[in-house]
């Protein structure tokens, strides 16, 4: 498979693309059913706002002229998810996000400038609760695909046995510190204060036969909304879910900072200007529920389920960072 | 001087009081007419007439470099070379915060001041590039000039292009293997996403790939310690900036308005985490931190290094500025020499700026522990004198002075300069390790 997509016509007209998009539809539909059965309410996602998730790893936001004010396209709906808990205790949305990732990510095979997430948030939940929901959700989606669409998996040459462990075994959970130590054993030098780099994630992922969680990232590696563990300062109550077979990160999630003063302080610590988030902070000052939640990269999950070389194959209209196309 | 009634007050700063009575808040600042084309800065030891304070005895101003009579290093060098060592044998190459430079010099930031516009900033960049000197690009070049409505001439895209044009002017001239660019951002301007913009620009990728891109977290500046960016804008521009900046304090009769921001890096934990966040987000980019000359500058430097900063820059109270109140220029912040005396050596370079323009002050700074010195106003003035060669000639002159001074001290590398080379000897009050001390 070439690194960049073929022409839009060739891509859209390919039997492989059809199989991938049917599997993606199955994943979305199964995840929706699963969450609704648990009492979650689906909200339509916001697309623009005065501020959005500052993210990390150097992705640029897209500015929108909103009657003379600078608005942003959503890089994630994190702040809206927290605010939405004022309406319902358990919410989710299928949200489009745009992140102008650095051009170097065009060759990682796992970055798209435009992508979609299952965005889930649960009032009163802790990180462990959210991980439980995420694990069940992934399992339900994968089971649905293996049961309903074996022919499409066959078109893609994807062996359903790849998911035997995923369907039968609980997902392992290792801390960031343990992951750093394991990477050192594998000969990969990983900054213990930072996000696990892409190569490191791929190395851990290649060793695994089913997805696994990495938890408790150090402060400084994540955004202001991941809650700092009050009992272990400097450590966040958060997690990533990494796929098996080298497919890397599928999910990021965390318990959230919800106290106004803590949010402002963490904004400063992540180099952010609270003034930019005044509309969210006004809501937070009057109180928002404690919560935990996560986002699943739908194209990444599709890529993993389909066993695709590149994530762009998991979308009808791929936007590769830095590449101009349909 | 008398007013209408003939009242006078000999011995009292009568003229200054009368000026305030006439101009109000505008009198807290240098003349508004000079805004945009005057480079301000304190003059330690020689305050303006009537200014109440100075910094007499400041080491970098009044200290002298004093060679010893006996120079065993010169004998070693003679043996090594097999001839009489000369000033041309002095090794001035320097690692400046992860960048290789031919001299212990870099060009420090000038921000949104109009003085740096009109092609002068680009002229400085081009010459610095051809010299292989690292270049810092000011933090508010982008945000102050502003994001307005996309697609118009004054929008962020246009100014982003201006920022990127400065980077390209430098990079186009840069020889392989030397130099590098440090792009500033301050916490209060974080929503401008300057770093993300630069990091994702295709033209910047060669610098990134060759390890010659740094981001400098600006904690403050020497000319106005404790204050953030401060510029003068007209009423229309004030409206446009009101979303992101407190715009207040009308100055003078024409309605010019002061645009202020407040420094955002205000606790140790914030500084530490901001640095870690930068390292995590931009693993291939060097991290620099610029400090203002505060009374705990030693501790701030230690925290920054400990968190992984590749360089800490200290801008002395005599640092230049496009705009600052008299009271700050004349009497706020530690002079650079005192900062150097207080800061214990760290694991990574200490860079210094403030009134740098000739070899003596640079050599004294190196003797007090700095790795390199930044040219600010001097670089702008030199490029103003000759946009093609001014900075190149100024640097050549400074280089010759440095070579002569270092060799006169019986040393053959810039890095060998030490406090022993200075008179009077700096008082030995350095704290052993500020990180182990509780903040007072």
């Amino acid at each position: 498979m070439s690194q960049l997509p073929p022409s839009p016509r060739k891509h859209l007209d390919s039997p492989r693309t059809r199989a991938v998009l049917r599997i993606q539809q199955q994943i979305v539909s199964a995840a929706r059913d699963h969450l609704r059965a648990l009492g979650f309410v689906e909200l339509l996602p916001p697309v623009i706002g005065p501020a959005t998730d500052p993210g990390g790893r150097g992705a640029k936001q897209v500015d929108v002229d909103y009657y003379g004010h600078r608005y942003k396209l959503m890089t994630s709906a994190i702040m809206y998810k927290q605010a939405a808990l004022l309406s319902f205790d358990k919410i989710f949305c299928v949200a489009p996000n745009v992140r102008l990732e650095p051009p170097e990510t065009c060759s990682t095979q796992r970055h798209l400038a435009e992508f979609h997430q299952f965005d889930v948030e649960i009032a009163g939940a802790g990180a462990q609760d959210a991980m439980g929901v995420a694990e069940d959700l992934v399992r339900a989606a994968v089971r649905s695909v293996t049961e309903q669409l074996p022919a499409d998996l066959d078109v893609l040459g994807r062996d359903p046995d790849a998911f035997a462990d995923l369907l039968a075994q609980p997902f392992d959970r290792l801390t960031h510190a343990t992951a750093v130590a394991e990477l050192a054993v594998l000969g990969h030098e990983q900054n213990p204060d930072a996000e696990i780099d892409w190569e490191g994630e791929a190395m851990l992922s290649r060793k695994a036969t089913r997805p696994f969680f990495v938890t408790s990232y150090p402060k400084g590696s994540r955004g202001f909304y991941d809650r700092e563990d009050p009992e272990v300062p400097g450590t966040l109550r958060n997690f990533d879910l990494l796929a098996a077979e080298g497919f890397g990160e599928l999910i990021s999630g965390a318990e959230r900072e919800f106290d106004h003063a803590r949010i402002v302080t963490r904004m400063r610590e992540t180099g952010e200007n609270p003034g930019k988030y005044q509309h969210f902070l006004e809501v937070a000052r009057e109180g928002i529920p404690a919560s935990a939640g996560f986002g699943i990269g739908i194209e990444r999950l599709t890529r993993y389920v389909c066993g695709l070389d590149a994530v762009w194959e998991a979308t009808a209209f791929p936007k590769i960072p830095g590449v101009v196309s349909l | 001087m008398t007013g209408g009634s003939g009242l006078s007050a000999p011995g009292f700063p009568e003229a200054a009081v009368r000026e305030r009575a006439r101009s109000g808040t505008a009198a807290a600042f240098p003349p508004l007419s000079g805004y945009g084309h005057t480079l301000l800065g304190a003059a330690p030891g020689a305050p303006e007439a009537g200014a109440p304070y100075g910094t007499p005895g400041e080491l970098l101003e009044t200290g002298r470099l004093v060679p010893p009579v006996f120079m065993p290093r010169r004998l070693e060098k003679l043996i090594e070379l097999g001839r009489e060592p000369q000033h041309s044998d002095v090794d001035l190459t320097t690692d400046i915060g992860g960048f290789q430079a031919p001299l212990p010099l870099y060009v420090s930031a000038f921000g949104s001041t109009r003085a740096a516009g009109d092609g002068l900033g680009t002229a400085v960049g081009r010459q610095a590039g051809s010299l292989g000197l690292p270049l810092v690009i000011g933090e508010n070049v982008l945000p102050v000039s502003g994001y307005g409505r996309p697609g118009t001439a004054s929008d962020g895209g246009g100014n982003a292009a201006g920022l990127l044009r400065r980077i390209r002017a430098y990079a186009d001239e840069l020889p392989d293997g030397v130099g590098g660019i440090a792009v500033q951002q301050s916490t209060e301007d974080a929503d401008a996403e300057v770093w993300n913009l630069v990091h994702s620009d295709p033209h910047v990728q060669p610098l990134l790939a060759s390890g010659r891109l740094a981001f400098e977290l600006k904690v403050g500046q020497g000319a106005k310690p404790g204050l953030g960016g401060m510029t003068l804008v007209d009423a229309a521009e004030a409206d446009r900036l009101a979303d992101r900046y407190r715009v207040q304090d009308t100055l003078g009769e024409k309605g010019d308005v002061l645009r202020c921001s407040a420094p955002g890096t205000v606790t140790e934990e914030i500084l530490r985490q901001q640095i870690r966040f930068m390292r995590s987000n931009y693993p291939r980019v060097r991290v620099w931190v610029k400090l203002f000359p505060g009374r705990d500058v030693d501790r701030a430097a230690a925290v920054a290094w400990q968190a992984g900063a590749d360089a800490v820059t200290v801008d002395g109270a005599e640092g230049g500025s496009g705009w600052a109140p008299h009271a700050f220029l004349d009497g706020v912040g530690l002079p650079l020499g005192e900062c150097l005396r207080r800061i214990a050596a760290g694991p990574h370079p200490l860079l210094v700026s403030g009134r740098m323009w000739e070899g003596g002050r640079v050599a004294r700074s190196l003797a007090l522990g700095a790795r390199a010195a930044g040219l600010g106003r001097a670089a702008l003035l030199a490029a103003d004198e000759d946009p093609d060669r001014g900075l190149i000639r100024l640097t050549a002159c400074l280089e010759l002075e440095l070579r002569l001074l270092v060799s006169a001290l019986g040393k053959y590398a810039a890095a060998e300069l030490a406090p022993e080379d200075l008179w009077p000897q700096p008082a030995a009050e350095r704290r052993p390790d500020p990180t182990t001390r509780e903040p007072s």
Side-chain angles (χ1 to χ4, degrees), chain A residues 76-78 81 91-95 97 117-121 294-295:
Chain A
S76 93
I78 176 65
K81 285 202 300 178
I91 59 106
F92 76 99
C93 45
V94 180
N97 295 144
Q117 293 196 74
F118 268 110
D119 246 334
V120 177
E121 200 68 24
F294 56 88

Side-chain angles (χ1 to χ4, degrees), chain B residues 166-192:
Chain B
R166 270 205 207 179
I167 294 176
R168 283 207 287 278
Y170 175 85
D172 285 348
E173 300 291 329
L174 192 64
D176 286 343
V178 293
I181 282 194
V183 180
Q184 269 185 355
Q185 186 169 289
S186 59
T187 305
E188 57 269 28
D189 289 333
D191 60 345

Side-chain angles (χ1 to χ4, degrees), chain A residues 72-104:
Chain A
K72 305 285 191 179
L73 285 185
M74 288 297 126
T75 54
S76 93
I78 176 65
M79 287 171 279
Y80 291 87
K81 285 202 300 178
Q82 286 186 264
L85 296 176
L86 293 169
S87 291
F88 302 104
D89 284 345
K90 296 195 273 190
I91 59 106
F92 76 99
C93 45
V94 180
N97 295 144
V98 178
R99 299 178 186 174
L100 302 185
E101 301 280 358
E104 74 212 45

Side-chain angles (χ1 to χ4, degrees), chain A residues 80-308:
Chain A
Y80 291 87
K81 285 202 300 178
Q82 286 186 264
L85 296 176
L86 293 169
S87 291
F88 302 104
D89 284 345
K90 296 195 273 190
I91 59 106
F92 76 99
C93 45
V94 180
N97 295 144
V98 178
R99 299 178 186 174
L100 302 185
E101 301 280 358
E104 74 212 45
T105 59
C106 76
S107 57
T108 62
Q109 310 296 334
R110 39 178 292 198
H111 286 88
L112 290 170
E114 178 187 81
F115 66 100
H116 296 77
Q117 293 196 74
F118 268 110
D119 246 334
V120 177
E121 200 68 24
I122 313 154
Q128 298 295 329
D129 305 320
M131 286 157 73
V133 173
E135 178 171 344
D136 291 346
L137 182 55
V138 168
R139 194 172 286 120
V142 171
R143 177 173 289 123
S144 170
V145 171
T146 55
E147 288 177 0
Q148 305 291 323
L149 299 175
D152 284 317
L153 288 175
D154 193 50
V155 167
L156 299 167
R158 183 62 160 158
D159 183 354
D161 285 349
F163 307 110
D165 271 7
L166 178 152
L167 294 172
Q169 308 273 338
F171 298 174
D172 287 335
R173 300 176 181 197
L174 70 158
T175 64
H176 178 273
T178 308
V180 170
E182 282 192 15
L183 284 169
V185 172
L186 295 172
H188 181 77
E189 198 178 321
Q190 166 66 45
N191 177 353
D193 297 326
E195 177 78 273
I196 293 176
D197 55 40
W198 295 318
E199 179 55 28
E201 278 187 2
M203 290 172 84
L204 292 172
S205 172
R206 274 196 291 272
K207 283 190 1 178
T209 58
R210 61 183 185 280
F212 60 98
F213 289 102
V214 178
T215 67
S216 313
Y217 284 71
K219 197 159 77 152
S221 68
R222 291 296 169 94
F224 59 79
Y225 38 79
D226 284 12
R227 188 178 182 205
E228 184 172 9
D229 192 333
E231 285 152 26
V232 191
T235 301
L236 302 172
R237 286 190 174 167
N238 65 355
F239 58 88
D240 273 5
L241 181 72
L242 273 60
E245 306 170 65
F247 287 100
E249 180 193 330
L250 300 174
I251 293 180
S252 274
E255 210 168 306
R256 311 300 184 191
E257 296 286 3
F258 60 95
D259 174 73
H260 176 263
R262 287 288 310 149
I263 296 172
V264 172
T265 305
R266 292 290 311 286
M267 281 178 172
R268 274 296 187 225
E269 290 175 359
T270 54
E272 282 294 320
N273 178 5
K276 175 177 149 188
Y277 300 94
Q278 58 166 319
H279 301 287
F280 171 63
L281 288 173
E282 279 166 18
V283 177
R285 190 190 282 276
E286 291 182 27
I288 50 174
S291 68
F294 56 88
I296 303 183
I298 295 176
E299 290 86 352
R300 285 185 177 177
L301 180 58
T302 307
R303 177 195 176 205
Y304 169 53
V305 173
C306 296
L308 306 174

Side-chain angles (χ1 to χ4, degrees), chain A residues 33-52:
Chain A
D33 292 347
H34 179 83
L35 287 171
R36 281 193 198 136
L38 292 173
F40 281 79
V41 175
E42 179 173 4
L43 301 180
L44 296 178
V47 174
I48 56 172
T52 188

Side-chain angles (χ1 to χ4, degrees), chain B residues 19-33 35 232-235 248-258 323:
Chain B
E19 171 61 23
R20 288 175 174 221
R22 282 191 302 274
S23 309
T25 51
F29 291 86
L32 297 179
S33 57
Y35 183 75
L232 214 50
V233 296
D234 61 28
Q248 51 200 343
D249 299 324
T250 303
L251 301 184
E253 299 297 317
K254 283 192 299 182
D256 283 337
V257 175
L258 201 56
W323 196 239

